[in-house]
Amino acid sequence: MNGTGLVWYVAYGSNLHAARLTCYLRGGRPNGGARTYPGCRDHSPARRSVATALAGTLYFAGRSPTWGGGSAFYDPSVRGEVPCRAYLLTAGQFSDIAAQEMRRSPGPDLDLDRVLAHGRAELGPGRYETLLHVGQLDGHPLLTFTAPWGVAGAELAAPAAAYLRTLGAGLAESHTWGPWRTAGYLATRPGAQGHWTPGAVAALLG
């Protein structure tokens, strides 16, 4: 696939929030974050966005250089459902967003043929360096990225308050979830569970 072909980027973490995704597209620093992003080569907004869900679970692990605390990852092997938001982008934009998540500089287009053919492609051992092909929508592939390890092999870590606020804003924006539904979901994810209560997360979300 060349860089001008269209793909759906399926976001399940902070990029559920459109303003946060804009920092990857146009460059900038997300509200509450500590890192400024260079942006994509093509600053155009997503052509469409739709609420969707994936089978699996969301978990928090490692330490985010942007937010502090655990980052959100997706494990498709665990029973459950993960609310997501799919953005219709060019393959080049998806490549540049993935590069920024992988702590690389945007530039070369990713070779997506392998992930489209096999459903999974590991570009490296680090976080967000594993690409997944998770379906089709309106004739375009649904793609996301996560860690090569699953929740069972992860170093779980509690997410930071600013990160949870961003995820909460994204769930409200994309799925119209209220604070208590959002808090009940986020506080019970592996990594957050035992460190955050639904009441504490709901208070963050206002």
Side-chain angles (χ1 to χ4, degrees):
M1 172 178 285
N2 63 37
T4 59
L6 297 180
V7 302
W8 293 97
Y9 160 46
V10 183
Y12 53 81
S14 61
N15 286 328
L16 286 162
H17 194 213
R20 198 277 183 264
L21 182 73
T22 297
C23 295
Y24 281 122
L25 290 171
R26 297 182 183 176
R29 179 181 295 186
N31 186 31
R35 184 181 176 195
T36 300
Y37 294 86
C40 295
R41 290 163 290 170
D42 178 357
H43 292 177
S44 302
R47 286 160 171 77
R48 288 174 59 198
S49 73
V50 296
T52 187
L54 295 177
T57 195
L58 178 84
Y59 66 94
F60 297 100
R63 182 170 178 81
S64 168
T66 301
W67 308 99
S71 297
F73 296 99
Y74 167 59
D75 186 342
S77 71
V78 177
R79 186 175 179 180
E81 185 174 87
V82 181
C84 303
R85 187 176 193 175
Y87 297 92
L88 189 60
L89 306 169
T90 67
Q93 287 177 309
F94 176 80
S95 295
D96 288 349
I97 290 169
Q100 291 172 85
E101 287 277 29
M102 296 174 192
R103 306 180 196 176
R104 302 174 184 175
S105 297
D109 290 337
L110 295 175
D111 180 357
L112 300 178
D113 290 342
R114 183 178 174 192
V115 68
L116 292 176
H118 301 288
R120 182 183 179 100
E122 293 189 7
L123 306 183
R127 57 176 228 147
Y128 302 126
E129 293 187 338
T130 296
L131 304 182
L132 300 176
H133 179 202
V134 293
Q136 296 278 130
L137 179 63
D138 295 340
H140 303 296
L142 291 152
L143 300 175
T144 194
F145 34 75
T146 187
W149 55 82
V151 64
E155 294 183 8
L156 299 178
Y163 192 50
L164 288 176
R165 276 194 291 267
T166 302
L167 268 71
L171 288 167
E173 189 176 80
S174 59
H175 288 261
T176 65
W177 282 13
W180 279 102
R181 182 175 183 182
T182 299
Y185 169 70
L186 294 175
T188 55
R189 298 310 89 194
Q193 191 170 29
H195 297 275
W196 287 96
T197 64
V201 176
L204 278 180
L205 304 179

